[in-house]
Amino acid sequence: MNTKYIAIFLAVIMVMSIMPFFFSGGSNGETADNSVVDNSVVDAAGFESIPGEHVDHELNSLADGLAVTPEGVAFAEYVDIDSIRDTPLYLMMGNTSQLDSVYGVQVTKLYSAEYANQHSFNMHVINPEVIAFPYYLSEDAYNGYYFASRGSDLYNVIGNPMLFGQQDRLEDVLDVMKGDANASSDFSRLMEFVEPGAPVQQVMVVNDGFADQYYFDLMFLDDSRLSRTTVYLNPTDGTRNNITAYAAEGPDKGLDYDIESQEDILKVTVTLDSSDFYTFLGEPAW
């Protein structure tokens, strides 16, 4: 089993899984005309200050992120931070100030994709859309896009969302956005069973574990009820047996189980009153 990804799911940690790619950065930088970029948010330049094309892609779900993710992804997550900020789900985010400090403004949505070779990239929606961080702008454009160097071999491509990661990984993403490369189809079967609207979503490849692939989401059904949906591709017999046992015990914990089973798919939705949040999080998923 891939213990790195399993640990992420067990802890239900979203932002922390991409924090190692962030850095403290310097106090100033250089643009294409060699001017210093270190403005406060109040007088920071807008995206229009960066030449070339800007990213313009809807990021409202995991599916939106996968639509511009190159093939071969092993783990991906989406979090609508703004929509959960005043809910119990936000407790799982940890301290998001580190993430905000990357841009000098709030990050409202995030998407992260990781590969088996440990390569990765991130997308962030920020508000307001300003350049309130130090950078060095590349002299040459890649297919019309300029890269803003952030140090430590990390770059942004400006737009909505902001791309963040190593330059060669971001070039691969831009190729998909331009239609010059195929988007990931790695989780296409799982995603057939995903309902829209969840603000917290993750998907992963499982190596020698409880299934071949696994999808997970959390959302509020209304002001008082939470929902957790898990979808398994080719679950083991042990996983199916465990889910059956959990469902039988669910009423004693106030948990409602809805199970859909096909030959290669097991979909499980668990609902609970949000006042018992920690019981909800502690319920095993396989």
Side-chain angles (χ1 to χ4, degrees):
M1 185 182 301
N2 190 320
T3 56
K4 174 185 177 183
Y5 297 138
I6 296 298
I8 292 174
F9 275 86
L10 289 176
V12 202
I13 295 173
M14 312 302 165
V15 174
M16 290 301 113
S17 68
I18 61 175
M19 280 303 175
F21 302 104
F22 297 148
F23 56 96
S24 59
S27 61
N28 55 49
E30 185 177 45
T31 65
D33 62 359
N34 297 322
S35 61
V36 171
V37 179
D38 189 17
N39 300 314
S40 67
V41 175
V42 174
D43 58 4
F47 286 178
E48 70 280 356
S49 63
I50 303 297
E53 294 195 47
H54 297 163
V55 176
D56 183 11
H57 177 73
E58 183 176 70
L59 185 60
N60 293 318
S61 67
L62 181 69
D64 289 340
L66 291 172
V68 293
T69 297
E71 291 278 13
V73 64
F75 171 84
E77 67 178 351
Y78 166 82
V79 183
D80 185 340
I81 301 174
D82 256 11
S83 72
I84 66 171
R85 198 174 296 276
D86 296 321
T87 75
L89 297 182
Y90 190 69
L91 298 174
M92 301 181 306
M93 296 293 296
N95 185 357
T96 60
S97 62
Q98 287 181 283
L99 181 58
D100 296 341
S101 70
V102 174
Y103 298 100
V105 297
Q106 277 194 342
V107 174
T108 62
K109 298 177 183 178
L110 67 86
Y111 172 83
S112 178
E114 299 184 22
Y115 292 77
N117 60 8
Q118 298 185 340
H119 291 161
S120 67
F121 78 92
N122 301 276
M123 295 192 290
H124 304 120
V125 176
I126 65 173
N127 184 38
E129 294 183 348
V130 295
I131 310 299
F133 52 84
Y135 67 91
Y136 290 90
L137 198 65
S138 62
E139 294 183 0
D140 300 318
Y142 179 81
N143 286 342
Y145 295 89
Y146 286 87
F147 288 81
S149 174
R150 306 299 305 280
S152 301
D153 195 31
L154 294 170
Y155 296 82
N156 278 123
V157 179
I158 307 303
N160 185 3
M162 304 283 282
L163 303 188
F164 183 80
Q166 295 180 327
Q167 183 169 341
D168 53 355
R169 299 284 75 76
L170 300 188
E171 289 176 356
D172 293 341
V173 176
L174 292 174
D175 288 344
V176 176
M177 288 184 172
K178 286 286 193 177
D180 297 328
N182 293 327
S184 170
S185 60
D186 300 279
F187 299 108
S188 58
R189 178 60 173 158
L190 278 186
M191 295 302 290
E192 292 178 17
F193 296 85
V194 173
E195 302 294 333
V200 177
Q201 299 178 282
Q202 296 180 331
V203 69
M204 74 173 184
V205 173
V206 181
N207 294 326
D208 300 323
F210 53 89
D212 289 345
Q213 295 181 354
Y214 177 65
Y215 167 86
F216 165 96
D217 74 33
L218 290 170
M219 66 183 298
F220 276 92
L221 299 176
D222 51 43
D223 291 340
S224 63
R225 292 188 67 78
L226 278 165
S227 166
R228 184 190 75 187
T229 295
T230 52
V231 185
Y232 312 79
L233 177 64
N234 296 322
T236 64
D237 290 341
T239 297
R240 291 184 182 273
N241 292 336
N242 288 343
I243 295 299
T244 299
Y246 299 150
E249 298 171 357
D252 294 335
K253 305 175 186 178
L255 297 166
D256 295 324
Y257 270 77
D258 181 68
I259 300 174
E260 176 183 348
S261 181
Q262 298 188 15
E263 183 177 354
D264 63 335
I265 291 290
L266 180 64
K267 180 178 180 179
V268 183
T269 300
V270 184
T271 57
L272 175 72
D273 189 292
S274 61
S275 63
D276 202 1
F277 184 64
Y278 293 102
T279 296
F280 183 80
L281 289 184
E283 182 70 358
W286 57 79

